[in-house]
Amino acid sequence: MKNPANDNSVLTIESNSIEYVAPENRHGKPVDLFTLWFCTNVAPLAVISGATSVLVFHLDVMSAILAIVAGQFFGAIFHALTSAQGPLGGVPQMIQSRAQFGRYGSLLVVSFTTLIYLGFFVSNIILAGKTLHTAAPAVPVPVGTVLGAILATLVGVIGYHFIHRFNKIGAWFMGGALLIGMIMMAPGLNAQILQQGHFDVSNWFAMFGLCAVWQISFAPYTSDYSRYLPTSAGFAKTFAFTYFGTSLGTIFAFLFGVLAVSTGHSTDAMQAIRTQTGVFGYVLIFLFLVNIIGHNGMNLYGGVLSFITAAQTFRPDWVPGRTVRIVFSTALLVASTVTALWASSNFISIFLTAIFAMRIVLAPWVAINLVDFYLINNRRYRVAEIVSNHGGVYGSFNFKAIAIYLFGIAVQVPFMAESFFHGPLASIVGDADVSWMVGLVATALTYYVFAAKDGSRSPRRSPAGATASE
């Protein structure tokens, strides 16, 4: 195992990748998680997504606000619970999944999360190209796309410490800029605009679901950014700073999108912002561009860790370091940039639809992860067993967990209400898609009942080894 103590400098490329971070190498404060997740979510994709509450779901402004606030606060619970596992476990989220699904069984989840990372990465470099072209029309979109991809890759390669510092500084700039922008647009919010649109149960739950899944989609890599925190950081502070940072930042960005398209009478959120904020709009566009690059660095960082996790599964004695991360990052940079240049102009809207549908695989995973960690294993995993050649006490395959996970996917199908599929029970709540909520509850209850009966994987029955709290 490498000693990361000598690469804590902000601009030094992180030497650690997926290894356990020993207590003596921990550092940082839980408050850093607030700025990290606040700044990450004050992003153009969040602004555009918030605007869909008015443009796509045709909600009135007040209904849109309620759906956004409720959905983000609800989804952030799962985001923060997975983040709080970092100081207790000291390993990336996907490595930790081996404790639930087994060493090889976890590859099922790793493959899904890797697709999410890469999808977000491609979407954001497309958005970076368009944003750079908007700010500087002389720069062609393809050139902007390549530049955005390269800069985001540099952020991801440098790694954990630079990402935290980048967002610590960026939170003040992004938060302040959006606040000024909202003040400039607010006078246009009159009684007539407030009366536009209407409350609809199905559309309200659709927006609520989009917001909740937005937060849940971060869960597969949240502990990647808290695993360096000292074990003394504990649960409560890690949870609280993550929860309020991610929820408030996203609510701020989503509502900014609602305000922009409502007062600007436009179907393009970014264009509405530019036309309503005058010269200051160029400042916002520049900051959005920087934010996209920083946010996308996290997508690449998480994607690389997932790829390394998958590869290391078959080579237990392999300890990947800087060089491996650089090689994997470069490979993903090339593949993703080619995809972005090839992709259609409406790729982002297509991908948002896909992410919305991905809740079918995210909901049962997060239910199993949280129940297993907090209720069955009492916040304690034996890291030495997780990384052992054959999964140690956690085994190569946990067929019970895999079966329950697949059950959690299947139980959602009758309740789905998507454009491509309409289940027989989809109209149970005014034709609103509540399938992911059914998946969360059904999977959590089933896993707790059946997995709790099997004490063979409990830390109390494990041979001596490192636990999450050691």
Side-chain angles (χ1 to χ4, degrees), residues 12-16 150-160 162-163 297 300-301 304 322 325-330:
T12 300
I13 296 177
E14 181 185 358
S15 63
N16 199 9
I150 292 173
L151 291 173
T153 301
L154 289 175
V155 172
V157 166
I158 297 173
Y160 181 95
F162 182 75
I163 290 172
L300 183 82
Y301 183 78
V304 168
R322 280 194 188 100
R325 285 183 52 245
I326 292 172
V327 170
F328 273 74
S329 297
T330 303

Side-chain angles (χ1 to χ4, degrees), residues 239-251:
F239 177 91
F241 283 116
T242 299
Y243 181 82
F244 289 108
T246 190
S247 59
L248 295 179
T250 318
I251 289 170

Side-chain angles (χ1 to χ4, degrees), residues 402-413:
I402 294 171
I404 294 173
Y405 177 70
L406 295 176
F407 161 76
I409 293 175
V411 76
Q412 297 176 67
V413 175

Side-chain angles (χ1 to χ4, degrees), residues 252-389:
F252 195 16
F254 269 59
L255 294 185
F256 192 78
V258 173
L259 182 62
V261 295
S262 296
T263 58
H265 306 286
S266 172
T267 57
D268 186 325
M270 302 308 290
Q271 184 61 39
I273 292 168
R274 224 183 119 195
T275 55
Q276 292 185 84
T277 54
V279 176
F280 186 71
Y282 287 97
V283 176
L284 279 169
I285 293 296
F286 173 76
L287 290 175
F288 275 138
L289 177 61
V290 174
N291 185 277
I292 292 169
I293 292 168
H295 180 92
N296 226 14
M298 294 177 66
N299 288 324
L300 183 82
Y301 183 78
V304 168
L305 291 188
S306 289
F307 267 103
I308 293 175
T309 298
Q312 198 264 351
T313 298
F314 299 98
R315 295 182 59 192
D317 298 325
W318 179 44
V319 183
R322 280 194 188 100
T323 303
V324 172
R325 285 183 52 245
I326 292 172
V327 170
F328 273 74
S329 297
T330 303
L332 290 182
L333 164 66
V334 174
S336 299
T337 303
V338 170
T339 302
L341 294 173
W342 166 83
S344 62
S345 58
N346 61 342
F347 177 85
I348 293 176
S349 62
I350 293 172
F351 177 66
L352 283 175
T353 302
I355 282 295
F356 204 46
M358 282 294 282
R359 60 191 174 185
I360 194 171
V361 296
L362 286 173
W365 170 78
V366 77
I368 289 173
N369 175 278
L370 297 180
V371 170
D372 191 80
F373 184 81
Y374 287 104
L375 300 182
I376 295 177
N377 282 279
N378 245 352
R379 306 181 189 179
R380 291 170 62 88
Y381 280 144
R382 290 184 174 265
V383 178
E385 298 290 315
I386 292 175
V387 300
S388 68
N389 288 5

Side-chain angles (χ1 to χ4, degrees), residues 188-206:
L189 192 62
N190 53 42
Q192 182 180 357
I193 291 175
L194 291 175
Q195 292 172 0
Q196 292 176 353
H198 62 281
F199 173 79
D200 176 82
V201 173
S202 178
N203 288 335
W204 192 93
F205 267 103

